[in-house]
Amino acid sequence: MTTPAAPILLDFEEGIDRKTLRRLRDRFLVVNGQRWQRAHSALTYRQQMVLELLPLVFHLNHPALPGYLDGDCPYGLSHYQPSELTLNAARRLARTFSLKDEGRRKPDLDALFLMGSPGTLGHSVASDLDLWLCHRDDLSERGVRCLERKADKLSAWASSFGVELHVFVFCAADWRGGRQRVEVEGENCGSAQHFLLLDEFYRTSIHLGGCYPLWWLIPSDHEHRYHDCKSQLVECRFIRGNEYIDFGPVPSIPESEFLGAGVWQLYKGIDAPWKSILKLLLIECYAQTGHQPLLSGVFKQAVFDGRTDADELDPYVLLYQRLDTWLKAGGASSRLDLVRRSLYLKAGLPLTRTEAAAGQWRGRLLRQLVDDWGWPESRLHELDNRQQWRAEDVATLRRAMVSELTHSYRMLSRMAREHGTRSAISASDINLLGRKLYAAFQRKAGKIEQLNPGLAPSLAEENLSFHHQSEQGGDSDGWLLYRDLEDPGDAFWQPVIRRSGNLTQLMVWCYCNGLLTRATRLNVRSGHSVASVSELKEMLDALASFLSVPIEPAGREALSRGVRPLRNLLLVNVGVDPQAHLTEKGLHKLSARHDSLGFSGGRDNLVITIDQITFNSWHEVSLQHYAAGDTLIQCLKNVLASVALNPSGIPDVEVHSHNRGHGGAIARRVRELFGDVLRSFFAGGAGPHALRYVIEMDRRYFLLLFNGLEPGFIALDSREALLECLAQPQERYLPVVLDRQALLEDPALRAVCDASGPDTVQVFYSLRGDQARVWVIDELGSLVSWVQSVSHRRYLLTPLLRFLENLVERRVLRQTDTSLAQAGVQCYEVVARDGHWRAEYRPDADTGTLLPGLEVQAVGVQEGDSRLRFDIFCADQEFTVQEYGDQLIPAVAHYIHSLRPSGEPYPVYLTDVHLPHDLDPQVYQQDIQTSQYLYYRRTLEESLNRQLGALP
């Protein structure tokens, strides 16, 4: 404890003298020296070298010193003379080092300061060093960049000693003008605060070399006329202007800074909660007690009054005293208790371990505070043994922490709205900070809550027991988590750590929060489930390969962009036997079919449940459980929807299934399916591409497709229903892509789909005896197929091709940008060669063969909402709906039959069909699809040929 000196009173009206100003400066240097010694003593012997050398490495541009870049890097610290301690440190580092006289060279650097917690009660072994390096105002841009590179290199050197060093390079003029080139990142508060940071600088900074702060010489009650006092000191030559650096006054904190500073402290609170709670409450206190002096003013006034004791002026002691007075006045005892715990934990000094605290100034000062608070020894033991905290303890403390942080943030936000002030934080920074807060604290469905943001060293448990609730009677499907439960019968009397309706959710929560490690002994009481210890160990291995814990916060680049999934882990059939229904019946595999989505003769889908674990770019972990309905398709749809928002980065999909019930085969099949589907829809890092993806599963078919960015699926119960769906009209070209296991019994159709292409009409056929299968894929990818008898091979395709060419010709003539030479119909024969089916081009399918009989045309008639009917023209003979009504088809068939002298019942083919553009009364179709013409042609031909007896 130092004895207070006589107060210094500066009267700028009556006059001041240089001797008094020097005496005042020396008082600040006394406090500065005490703080430097305290910061120095808090470091290890090797780390002390970093602090000792900091001013010298910037004062000299010496190749033997750390951080050296080249001979052009700016150097020279104004008015700096290295101490013998510093020179000895340089010689210990480099034996060849020697100090050379630089003559009268103008220095490039004005001042060097250490600010923040070093030398204070809040300086713990985990604290970093924040350095302010101030260069002269007229330094070139190239010189500034060189200094920044040197600072980065110096930080890397300090890191090798275990010191986390952050160097901020700027000039005082830019600071006063608010022109710092900063963004929110790492230790930078970006645009969030200016005066609040300056307030902290003035009350915590340690002068390492160069010019002294001019602020020291301006009395606290003159802060409002700071610039007038500065002019008087410099212009009247009471001080030498080049010996002082001016960062400007801090008369008060503008309202515009409160919101940005509050958000910034919340941002920092994610990784360092104790320090941020203290600072955030100070901001709130400043906002509510604007009539009181700032802490920097309290510190300065104390020095003016002659009080230079480092204990009394410790920045954390001053901060606590201000919060203590404010919170007691408001009756906020619970918040005051959180402040005390935060200060104690920020100090990081366990007082119950006397050997660690005895004889140290920090231990002595902290003990004085704790005694004033009246804490019992049990409270100290609780706080000093954080390594023994359990998940429940941390959860309680986290709730208090988050409650305090969100309370302060809401208060600050409300104040900003009520006062109508603009926030000093930039829109981009507040958006970035808000995203990090959202990722860390926001609760949402499926998100795995992170319990331990630096609150306890570890939450690892030696023993964990997972109990299905059916073990305790009843039909509930939930799970309970216990610790150290050797006798399952004790479950009724033991506290439950956590409850969940889903075993995977419980496992992921334990893993992400550090309760579950590979060293944890597991116990499972599965009840109605079939879960086992071996399954949980496999899950743990899968989780460890998928995600490393603890999870690091997302970086600036990731947070500056929208959230997107980085990777997914699908856990299939957790605690489920996919073949339980067969096992109960004593049945086994009934065929050689190995597909896990259509297994054995019963075509069973072995994917019963899926737990989708997603890790996204904001480093959030979420889980979605699929256990009802078409679980695989639902999961696939959700994965597709997330990728559609950012197709340039397709997330990894890892799959795991326990070895029970063909688990390995199931995992491989699901992994293949997701990979195939994602590659199809998002090939080339773009998409979603327009296509229809067909999956065969569980004796059914699923058609996946996108509507804009939204994926959907159509479930079809049979192959016939699938073909009918594929024939439906499309709004754009949608090719059909078949999954690798879909329609394996129909390789010809697979070959047809593989050979389809856009902007053309393609005809495919395959002959087998007197039967032919015909497929037509039109210009938009609709697929129409049928089987027909082949009485004369040469007549198989000629009628169809003539019909299609008529349609193409009409369509081309209506368009101005397509020539007849580009149009046409392509024909392929589907054949099996060497065990593989392929489509082979047949350019001579229509050889100009004359067709027997007469031309038959149909013209559609749409009247209001009535069904579409047709007038039919046979050569020159007209048969209208108006004249024949429902007897139209029999009348046409009778006429055609009368023209056949032999009476032979061979089929009739329509050579042309015209459809109205209002097939749908609510839509006008400018271009009707070929598949629609084929549908009506086929319908009319079947009706006519049935009347003619050409069909059975």
Side-chain angles (χ1 to χ4, degrees):
M1 180 71 67
T2 58
T3 304
I8 291 178
L9 299 175
L10 295 181
D11 191 338
F12 281 79
E13 300 296 332
E14 296 296 328
I16 51 180
D17 64 84
R18 295 183 182 88
K19 183 178 179 181
T20 302
L21 291 173
R22 285 195 298 271
R23 189 157 51 93
L24 178 61
R25 181 198 65 190
D26 291 343
R27 282 189 184 179
F28 279 98
L29 289 176
V30 168
V31 178
N32 192 85
Q34 293 178 76
R35 287 185 176 173
W36 188 94
Q37 287 292 346
R38 290 184 168 188
H40 186 262
S41 66
L43 302 174
T44 66
Y45 177 75
R46 293 184 71 248
Q47 291 173 339
Q48 288 173 351
M49 181 185 293
V50 176
L51 184 59
E52 293 163 1
L53 284 176
L54 281 176
L56 186 64
V57 297
F58 288 109
H59 182 60
L60 301 178
N61 192 32
H62 197 292
L65 294 178
Y68 179 81
L69 287 176
D70 54 50
D72 294 331
C73 188
Y75 69 99
L77 194 55
S78 181
H79 305 288
Y80 174 70
Q81 290 295 326
S83 66
E84 194 61 31
L85 180 69
T86 296
L87 293 175
N88 288 336
R91 295 183 187 110
R92 289 200 310 271
L93 184 68
R95 294 182 181 275
T96 59
F97 171 78
S98 62
L99 185 64
K100 296 181 180 179
D101 186 5
E102 294 287 339
R104 300 180 61 83
R105 179 184 177 277
K106 181 180 179 181
D108 294 316
L109 307 176
D110 287 339
L112 189 67
F113 298 91
L114 193 62
M115 65 97 52
S117 60
T120 72
L121 178 62
H123 188 202
S124 67
V125 292
S127 297
D128 49 15
L129 301 182
D130 290 343
L131 203 65
W132 280 24
L133 176 62
C134 305
H135 58 79
R136 55 186 172 88
D137 299 351
D138 59 348
L139 191 64
S140 67
E141 182 72 15
R142 181 178 177 277
V144 175
R145 295 300 181 192
C146 190
L147 280 175
E148 290 174 342
R149 292 196 302 273
K150 179 171 183 174
D152 291 339
K153 192 171 182 181
L154 191 63
S155 296
W157 170 77
S159 180
S160 68
F161 290 85
V163 175
E164 186 177 348
L165 177 68
H166 307 280
V167 184
F168 304 99
V169 181
F170 60 94
C171 71
D174 282 346
W175 174 271
R176 294 193 303 272
R179 298 186 297 271
Q180 305 97 289
R181 298 175 299 184
V182 292
E183 294 177 320
V184 174
E185 184 174 13
E187 294 302 308
N188 243 333
C189 60
S191 60
Q193 50 192 312
H194 176 88
F195 290 101
L196 278 163
L197 188 59
L198 190 56
D199 171 61
E200 181 183 355
F201 169 78
Y202 281 145
R203 58 187 166 87
T204 68
S205 62
I206 299 174
H207 176 263
L208 298 181
C211 301
Y212 306 112
L214 181 66
W215 178 84
W216 284 356
L217 306 183
I218 310 296
S220 296
D221 56 357
H222 284 54
E223 197 94 10
H224 61 285
R225 51 187 300 265
Y226 178 95
H227 297 292
D228 292 338
C229 294
K230 169 190 171 182
S231 298
Q232 188 173 348
L233 288 172
V234 175
E235 293 173 7
C236 295
R237 299 186 180 180
F238 289 107
I239 61 172
R240 295 178 180 177
N242 64 358
E243 291 183 355
Y244 289 86
I245 186 169
D246 180 22
F247 297 110
V250 195
S252 62
I253 306 298
E255 292 176 350
S256 60
E257 274 197 23
F258 288 135
L259 176 60
V263 176
W264 166 249
Q265 290 305 329
L266 279 169
Y267 178 95
K268 294 289 291 179
I270 297 169
D271 308 315
W274 314 124
K275 180 179 178 181
S276 290
I277 285 175
L278 295 172
K279 288 191 173 183
L280 192 57
L281 278 163
L282 179 63
I283 293 167
E284 185 180 344
C285 176
Y286 276 175
Q288 292 187 357
T289 59
H291 60 283
Q292 295 186 7
L294 303 177
L295 290 183
S296 58
V298 173
F299 163 71
K300 181 160 63 171
Q301 188 60 50
V303 176
F304 269 73
D305 290 343
R307 304 197 305 272
T308 57
D309 180 69
D311 284 356
E312 181 184 354
L313 299 182
D314 187 276
Y316 275 88
V317 172
L318 293 177
L319 185 153
Y320 169 73
Q321 290 172 344
R322 172 64 63 89
L323 295 181
D324 179 82
T325 302
W326 171 61
L327 292 172
K328 282 180 178 176
S333 58
S334 62
R335 300 183 77 191
L336 179 58
D337 181 66
L338 182 61
V339 166
R340 290 171 175 174
R341 282 191 289 176
S342 298
L343 178 58
Y344 186 85
L345 292 171
K346 173 64 181 77
L349 193 63
L351 293 181
T352 56
R353 298 166 198 159
T354 53
E355 67 278 4
Q360 296 182 2
W361 70 267
R362 293 177 64 241
R364 172 180 46 78
L365 184 56
L366 188 59
R367 173 57 74 175
Q368 291 174 3
L369 288 171
V370 167
D371 290 343
D372 291 341
W373 300 341
W375 274 6
E377 285 298 307
S378 59
R379 169 64 68 89
L380 294 179
H381 279 285
E382 173 195 347
L383 295 176
D384 288 349
N385 292 283
R386 285 194 295 158
Q387 69 276 8
Q388 297 178 12
W389 284 3
R390 298 294 179 84
E392 303 93 316
D393 305 317
V394 171
T396 301
L397 186 56
R398 183 185 185 277
R399 282 193 295 271
M401 182 194 77
V402 173
S403 175
E404 181 56 49
L405 295 177
T406 53
H407 164 83
S408 296
Y409 175 61
R410 287 169 182 164
M411 185 280 300
L412 294 165
S413 300
R414 184 171 63 252
M415 178 181 294
R417 291 193 302 271
E418 289 173 354
H419 290 277
T421 56
R422 292 185 59 194
S423 172
I425 188 171
S426 69
S428 61
D429 280 352
I430 200 168
N431 187 43
L432 175 72
L433 300 179
R435 286 178 171 183
K436 182 163 185 176
L437 293 172
Y438 179 90
F441 296 134
Q442 182 70 30
R443 287 180 174 174
K444 59 183 178 181
K447 181 176 176 179
I448 303 299
E449 184 181 37
Q450 299 295 308
L451 277 187
N452 189 23
L455 306 185
S458 172
L459 297 181
E461 295 285 349
E462 292 184 7
N463 301 277
L464 286 176
S465 297
F466 295 82
H467 281 225
H468 195 270
Q469 282 188 284
S470 61
E471 285 283 332
Q472 301 183 1
D475 297 325
S476 176
D477 284 332
W479 287 83
L480 308 174
L481 179 67
Y482 298 92
R483 70 166 57 85
D484 300 329
L485 196 61
E486 295 182 2
D487 184 353
D490 292 340
F492 287 100
W493 321 110
Q494 294 296 322
V496 177
I497 300 177
R498 190 172 179 84
R499 303 171 186 268
S500 177
N502 179 358
L503 176 58
T504 305
Q505 194 275 341
L506 208 53
M507 281 284 293
V508 175
W509 181 85
C510 289
Y511 174 73
C512 289
N513 284 296
L515 282 75
L516 178 61
T517 69
R518 285 192 167 96
T520 304
R521 291 195 297 274
L522 298 176
N523 179 272
V524 177
R525 302 290 293 183
S526 57
H528 297 161
S529 168
V530 296
S532 63
V533 171
S534 63
E535 181 172 11
L536 264 59
K537 287 184 176 179
E538 284 187 17
M539 289 173 62
L540 177 59
D541 289 340
L543 287 170
S545 298
F546 172 72
L547 185 66
S548 297
V549 292
I551 300 169
E552 295 294 328
R556 176 187 176 85
E557 182 180 354
L559 291 169
S560 65
R561 295 181 295 182
V563 65
R564 62 183 182 86
L566 294 180
R567 51 186 181 271
N568 296 285
L569 172 62
L570 307 183
L571 299 176
V572 182
N573 298 337
V574 173
V576 174
D577 181 0
Q579 292 185 288
H581 62 293
L582 295 178
T583 305
E584 290 174 0
K585 298 176 183 179
L587 299 176
H588 301 282
K589 188 175 179 182
L590 303 177
S591 77
R593 189 173 175 87
H594 294 276
D595 182 18
S596 298
L597 307 186
F599 188 74
S600 190
R603 301 293 180 89
D604 295 307
N605 175 21
L606 299 185
V607 178
I608 310 301
T609 67
I610 296 179
D611 290 286
Q612 176 190 346
I613 304 164
T614 302
F615 180 66
N616 67 30
S617 57
W618 291 1
H619 291 197
E620 297 173 293
V621 180
S622 60
L623 183 141
Q624 190 157 356
H625 181 62
Y626 306 88
D630 299 307
T631 57
L632 180 60
I633 300 299
Q634 293 170 17
C635 179
L636 182 56
K637 183 186 70 171
N638 287 347
V639 170
L640 289 172
S642 64
V643 178
L645 299 175
N646 189 2
S648 60
I650 298 179
D652 294 333
V653 178
E654 302 172 24
V655 186
H656 170 76
S657 183
H658 184 45
N659 56 24
R660 159 199 336 109
H662 304 279
I666 293 171
R668 284 192 298 273
R669 178 68 178 101
V670 174
R671 189 182 304 112
E672 286 175 355
L673 176 66
F674 275 75
D676 291 345
V677 172
L678 288 170
R679 281 189 294 272
S680 295
F681 280 107
F682 301 103
H689 300 307
L691 58 92
R692 291 170 289 171
Y693 196 96
V694 178
I695 299 171
E696 184 177 353
M697 184 173 67
D698 200 20
R699 300 176 297 280
R700 291 185 298 159
Y701 300 89
F702 295 87
L703 197 66
L704 287 172
L705 68 165
F706 272 85
N707 180 14
L709 295 178
E710 296 182 2
F713 68 89
I714 302 170
L716 303 156
D717 291 331
S718 65
R719 182 173 175 277
E720 291 71 24
L722 171 65
L723 293 176
E724 182 178 342
C725 182
L726 296 180
Q728 295 301 311
Q730 311 295 323
E731 294 183 358
R732 54 179 176 166
Y733 176 69
L734 290 177
V736 177
V737 178
L738 299 177
D739 183 60
R740 65 173 70 192
Q741 296 288 345
L743 294 167
L744 290 179
E745 71 282 0
D746 193 352
L749 177 56
R750 292 183 62 88
V752 168
C753 293
D754 290 343
S756 65
D759 303 323
T760 185
V761 176
Q762 296 169 287
V763 176
F764 301 85
Y765 67 93
S766 177
L767 296 172
R768 178 170 293 182
D770 60 353
Q771 295 286 313
R773 290 182 67 189
V774 181
W775 303 268
V776 178
I777 299 181
D778 73 5
E779 64 281 358
L780 294 185
S782 295
L783 188 152
V784 182
S785 63
W786 65 88
V787 178
Q788 68 182 60
S789 299
V790 183
S791 56
H792 301 289
R793 182 183 176 96
R794 60 180 179 169
Y795 296 145
L796 169 63
L797 295 178
T798 301
L800 174 63
L801 295 175
R802 298 282 173 83
F803 174 82
L804 294 174
E805 286 168 354
N806 284 339
L807 295 180
V808 171
E809 182 177 324
R810 284 207 306 271
R811 183 177 293 119
V812 170
L813 292 175
R814 287 198 305 271
Q815 299 172 353
T816 59
D817 57 350
T818 305
S819 67
L820 282 171
Q822 294 175 304
V825 179
Q826 297 179 355
C827 190
Y828 302 83
E829 182 177 3
V830 182
V831 297
R833 299 192 190 281
D834 302 325
H836 297 284
W837 287 78
R838 66 192 66 182
E840 297 183 350
Y841 184 50
R842 297 287 185 263
D844 55 348
D846 182 4
T847 58
T849 305
L850 294 175
L851 293 173
L854 69 168
E855 289 192 358
V856 180
Q857 298 175 306
V859 177
V861 179
Q862 182 81 50
E863 296 179 353
D865 292 336
S866 62
R867 63 184 177 85
L868 179 65
R869 297 193 289 181
F870 290 88
D871 294 338
I872 296 179
F873 298 85
C874 298
D876 296 329
Q877 187 66 33
E878 180 179 356
F879 297 86
T880 67
V881 172
Q882 190 70 30
E883 180 178 357
Y884 291 95
D886 292 340
Q887 296 301 310
L888 177 69
I889 295 298
V892 174
H894 181 270
Y895 175 73
I896 293 174
H897 191 272
S898 68
L899 297 178
R900 294 179 174 178
S902 63
E904 183 180 350
Y906 53 84
V908 64
Y909 300 101
L910 269 67
T911 56
D912 206 358
V913 173
H914 289 263
L915 294 175
H917 290 281
D918 54 353
L919 280 173
D920 181 347
Q922 298 179 352
V923 178
Y924 182 87
Q925 288 184 264
Q926 188 69 40
D927 290 309
I928 299 173
Q929 269 185 251
T930 299
S931 60
Q932 294 173 279
Y933 284 104
L934 286 171
Y935 169 77
Y936 288 107
R937 176 181 183 263
R938 187 84 183 143
T939 301
L940 288 172
E941 285 182 349
E942 287 180 355
S943 298
L944 284 172
N945 289 324
R946 193 167 286 109
Q947 286 290 328
L948 288 170
L951 289 178

